[in-house]
Amino acid sequence: MDSVKQLFSALGIAQESVTGGSLPVHSPIDGARIADVREHTAQETNQAIEQAVAAQKAWRSVPAPRRGELIRLLGEELREHKAALGRLVSVEAGKITAEGEGEVQEMIDICDFAVGLSRQLYGLTIASERPGHRMMETWHPVGVVGVITAFNFPVAVWSWNTALALVCGNAVIWKPSEKTPLTALATQALFERALKRFGDAPAHLAQVVIGGREVGEALVDSPRVALVSATGSTRMGREVGPRVAARFGRSLLELGGNNAIIVSQSADLDLAVRGILFGAIGTCGQRCTSTRRIIAHRDVVQELTARLKKAYASATIGSPLEAGTLVGPLIDQAAFDAMQKALAQAAEQGGTVTGGERALQERFPNAFYVRPAIVEMPGQTDVVRHETFAPILYIMSYDTFDAAIEMQNDVPQGLSSAVFTTDLREAEQFMSASGSDCGIANVNIGTSGAEIGGAFGGEKETGGGRESGSDAWKAYMRRATNTVNYSRELPLAQGIRFGED
Ligand code: NAD
């Protein structure tokens, strides 16, 4: 507890904001109650929205490269506080130290990207069909961006959205997961340090509101929030998407995944085993991009399964703060119960389960550690097609590469996918229009651990949104097409002559 207090003070979180509130925060490491955070009401959230609207009106006129300077300063704060914030991610979300710090590194990387972007918000010039005319497009900020995030990437997802949204000239209101408010408060404190050094930014440019779905719903339903960027379960997206659409708002949805790796008979199995291990048991199977399904060629499935079982047996399960740990805890009891239910269903549907039991119960009676499970399935049954947010890896086999791709695509989700193969034809087919239907399709690397330079997101029930790199910034802007007539005539498009004959 003392070390948690030290982290709060190192990160600039005021003690009074984490004591006496109505939202208890438990560390998944040992189940200890580490804070009681004050929640915002829906009314306070609406007030924050009004303040954000005013802030955005001032911010949109600040030149974009100057806006980039604020993000550069944020990147500096994150560099300086990487170890402390990474540790708080471990304490609050249960990630091992390397992954907690890796998450902060991702924030730093997107800040660097956004600083460069602040000088590259390009529009096209387009050849006009009319003489003496110029046509072009300009990009303007959308307004206020509401960011709703999940517990499993408690800070990185905020930064993907906010670094881009701010350089694009928007204001941001963040509703973090009710399971991880502390890392949000710490991030906000670091942002405010950057703001202070920046000097003349409008007040309330980026705010955080704490609470459950009612607070999220205030963002979802407000016509003053131009874009709702929501990350979480498909259940949440099914509610948020139509509600935002009903008021003709924009939404950017980043929802569940059910990510598969195809392992061909030509695969380098050493690489495949390493890629699968990180993807399946990293973050205790609680990444949206976690590897959940293996589709292996019939000639290699037995050897691959045996090697994976061996690798699983030697993966250290333990406190995420201890050196050598590879598998930390599940977030809470509900996650444990969901895992047990899925394993029971898998067994009923013909699966052979190895692992999956509770671990370290004596040492951590109030926390939920598990042995990651491997389940050999006779086929892709209902339970396999459902995302269970826990370390369960279903292994299935295939005879032809076409059938493997069909099985890979035959799930409702479409986030990440990979193939391990040394056959060029298979690799190219996998990435082609008749290959993987996912937003991410990798060759000889696993499904998780994406770089920020690419656009991140997925299709079907994953929601269709794209965040982070490439041209994902366009989601945070509105496009205007401008046509300028510098001639002395007024020709109409499509050659129309109107009242001239
Ligand atoms: P969750 O859906 O339970 O909660 C996510 C967020 O949505 C929380 O902040 C929650 O308070 C809020 N919320 C829930 N219902 C809402 C509503 N009706 N209106 C407004 N806000 C609402 O998800 P979780 O358990 O925190 O996270 C795990 C899920 O997130 C998994 O399904 C995972 O695949 C997904 N995820 C996806 C991505 C991605 O980029 N595609 C990234 C991380 C996590």
Side-chain angles (χ1 to χ4, degrees):
M1 187 65 190
D2 270 356
S3 70
V4 174
K5 277 190 183 152
Q6 280 163 9
L7 277 181
F8 290 166
S9 86
L11 289 161
I13 303 180
Q15 269 308 321
E16 54 277 16
S17 65
V18 289
T19 45
S22 52
L23 179 64
V25 185
H26 294 95
S27 170
I29 296 177
D30 56 5
R33 188 163 173 165
I34 50 174
D36 294 288
V37 176
R38 196 182 79 73
E39 290 176 273
H40 290 75
T41 61
Q43 198 188 357
E44 286 171 318
T45 306
N46 284 324
Q47 197 183 345
I49 294 170
E50 292 310 317
Q51 290 168 328
V53 169
Q56 198 268 333
K57 280 192 177 143
W59 188 243
R60 67 188 179 189
S61 301
V62 174
R66 172 82 184 131
R67 301 193 296 243
E69 171 63 8
L70 173 59
I71 301 305
R72 193 186 68 74
L73 294 170
L74 174 63
E76 282 188 0
E77 294 297 335
L78 290 166
R79 281 182 168 85
E80 193 182 322
H81 296 88
K82 180 176 170 181
L85 184 56
R87 195 170 174 88
L88 191 58
V89 169
S90 296
V91 168
E92 194 178 40
K95 293 191 179 191
I96 63 170
T97 309
E99 290 180 325
E101 289 193 11
E103 180 158 351
V104 183
Q105 185 58 47
E106 206 167 321
M107 302 173 85
I108 295 167
D109 294 343
I110 195 73
C111 284
D112 287 355
F113 179 92
V115 174
L117 178 69
S118 71
R119 291 181 184 271
Q120 300 176 76
L121 300 170
Y122 304 134
L124 298 172
T125 55
I126 300 148
S128 171
E129 67 191 46
R130 287 173 278 190
H133 282 58
R134 184 164 69 84
M135 194 162 39
M136 62 183 182
E137 56 185 24
T138 44
W139 292 88
H140 302 295
V142 281
V144 174
V145 177
V147 178
I148 296 173
T149 56
F151 79 85
N152 66 320
F153 273 95
V155 287
V157 172
W158 170 82
S159 68
W160 295 353
N161 283 281
T162 303
L164 265 55
L166 289 181
V167 300
C168 289
N170 304 294
V172 174
I173 304 183
W174 178 19
K175 195 213 84 64
S177 164
E178 52 275 46
K179 294 175 188 170
T180 54
L182 298 175
T183 39
L185 292 174
T187 302
Q188 182 69 14
L190 295 180
F191 179 75
E192 275 161 19
R193 286 168 70 116
L195 265 183
K196 209 164 167 187
R197 289 169 60 203
F198 180 79
D200 56 354
H204 310 298
L205 184 59
Q207 306 172 73
V208 59
V209 286
I210 304 289
R213 57 187 287 173
E214 325 70 58
V215 174
E217 283 167 357
L219 295 177
V220 167
D221 291 337
S222 171
R224 311 280 266 167
V225 177
L227 170 68
V228 175
S229 174
T231 298
S233 57
T234 294
R235 180 205 60 74
M236 177 273 285
R238 245 187 251 292
E239 289 166 13
V240 168
R243 275 171 83 155
V244 177
R247 62 171 175 85
F248 295 98
R250 285 196 205 172
S251 58
L252 192 171
L253 299 176
E254 294 284 355
L255 311 174
N258 191 354
N259 318 296
I261 295 182
I262 296 176
V263 182
S264 137
Q265 69 271 45
S266 76
D268 177 334
L269 285 190
D270 291 339
L271 282 192
V273 169
R274 279 163 51 201
I276 294 167
L277 195 67
F278 174 66
I281 69 171
T283 324
C284 198
Q286 299 169 109
R287 285 188 181 220
C288 49
T289 52
S290 288
T291 308
R292 309 207 177 280
R293 298 178 292 143
I294 296 299
I295 303 165
H297 190 272
R298 203 165 288 286
D299 289 352
V300 293
V301 69
Q302 275 187 342
E303 183 185 347
L304 179 71
T305 306
R307 287 174 71 168
L308 283 171
K309 284 184 181 168
K310 200 167 158 213
Y312 267 51
S314 61
T316 308
I317 304 165
S319 163
L321 300 177
E322 286 167 8
T325 297
L326 285 187
V327 186
L330 288 169
I331 188 72
D332 56 18
Q333 170 143 23
F336 175 74
D337 292 345
M339 179 176 180
Q340 298 310 309
K341 189 173 158 204
L343 289 175
Q345 285 172 345
E348 273 167 30
Q349 291 169 22
T352 307
V353 179
T354 308
E357 317 85 14
R358 193 157 169 190
L360 306 180
Q361 200 169 356
E362 275 188 23
R363 183 172 169 208
F364 298 115
N366 300 316
F368 294 89
Y369 291 81
V370 287
R371 251 168 242 302
I374 288 178
V375 187
E376 292 152 86
M377 292 300 293
Q380 190 151 269
T381 63
D382 285 352
V383 71
V384 180
R385 299 173 80 250
H386 176 81
E387 180 199 44
T388 301
F389 216 52
I392 301 177
L393 183 67
Y394 299 106
I395 301 185
M396 295 158 295
S397 61
Y398 74 87
D399 290 312
T400 67
F401 198 67
D402 285 345
I405 289 180
E406 205 169 306
M407 192 186 272
Q408 122 81 33
N409 291 343
D410 186 25
V411 292
Q413 311 83 356
L415 181 52
S416 187
S417 61
V419 64
F420 278 83
T421 181
T422 55
D423 180 332
L424 180 69
R425 289 184 181 139
E426 288 180 344
E428 290 293 334
Q429 185 184 346
F430 184 73
M431 291 183 289
S432 76
S434 55
S436 163
D437 64 1
C438 291
I440 297 170
N442 293 333
V443 175
N444 291 333
I445 64 165
T447 56
S448 68
E451 295 182 27
I452 59 94
F456 181 89
E459 304 300 331
K460 303 191 289 187
E461 288 191 1
T462 304
R466 290 295 185 279
E467 284 175 350
S468 202
S470 183
D471 65 351
W473 60 271
K474 291 178 176 170
Y476 304 86
M477 302 201 95
R478 62 184 174 82
R479 179 195 325 233
T481 302
N482 312 121
T483 309
V484 179
N485 176 6
Y486 59 91
S487 75
R488 293 176 192 280
E489 307 296 326
L490 194 67
L492 299 178
Q494 294 89 43
I496 292 173
R497 301 177 73 83
F498 193 71
E500 289 175 27
D501 297 320

